[in-house]
Amino acid sequence: MTQVITTSVKDLVAAANAEVTTLTVEQAQALIDSPDHVIVDLRDIRELQRTGKIPGAFSCPRGMLEFWIDPASPYHKEIFNQDKTYVFYCASAWRSALSAKVAQDMGLAPVAHIAGGFTAWLKADGPVEALPEK
């Protein structure tokens, strides 16, 4: 039997975007050195190795986000236990929209994500930090 998907990923992303704050690349660029913000890169390690990341961004693979946010999780990361604004990004702003929504639903606040993701960041000539060689 073929599965019947009743809600598309585009619908989920649109619903998330309707509920979370979206920053422009220019707004996000102004936050790079902000002590009040944590920029979170949700991309897979292979993506980061291939293209680099926003300078100072914290790498959190999308599949670990909920586990790293939850202080009751054995995988909790203290970076998510600060009184700061969390700004998520991925390659094209789909994963980051969903991530900002789930983080917000979990009680992490305030949260936002970057419109267009890292692709838009690169198009705007945003600075890029290369990952260290292994």
Side-chain angles (χ1 to χ4, degrees):
M1 175 175 134
T2 303
Q3 296 292 322
V4 179
I5 303 302
T6 59
T7 305
S8 72
V9 71
K10 283 186 178 184
D11 292 338
L12 291 172
V13 170
N17 276 320
E19 293 189 38
V20 300
T21 300
T22 303
L23 302 177
T24 65
V25 168
E26 294 75 23
Q27 290 170 313
Q29 286 176 337
L31 303 176
I32 287 179
D33 295 320
S34 170
D36 299 322
H37 294 79
V38 176
I39 300 176
V40 181
D41 190 318
L42 298 160
R43 296 173 303 142
D44 176 279
I45 188 65
R46 292 172 298 248
E47 292 174 280
L48 276 78
Q49 290 169 336
R50 190 169 48 249
T51 61
K53 64 184 183 100
I54 292 174
F58 174 73
S59 176
C60 174
R62 174 61 191 97
M64 293 303 296
L65 181 65
E66 294 86 346
F67 300 98
W68 287 9
I69 289 173
D70 185 355
S73 164
Y75 302 104
H76 175 67
K77 300 285 185 189
E78 277 300 314
I79 196 161
F80 289 109
N81 193 25
Q82 301 179 65
D83 185 18
K84 297 185 178 192
T85 299
Y86 292 85
V87 179
F88 298 98
Y89 75 95
C90 61
S92 61
W94 288 30
R95 288 173 284 179
S96 61
L98 297 175
S99 296
K101 171 76 168 72
V102 77
Q104 184 172 283
D105 289 350
M106 290 178 75
L108 191 69
V111 300
H113 83 115
I114 301 173
F118 196 65
T119 301
W121 184 270
L122 292 174
K123 284 183 184 174
D125 292 322
V128 175
E129 176 183 322
L131 266 60
E133 296 283 327
K134 287 197 171 198

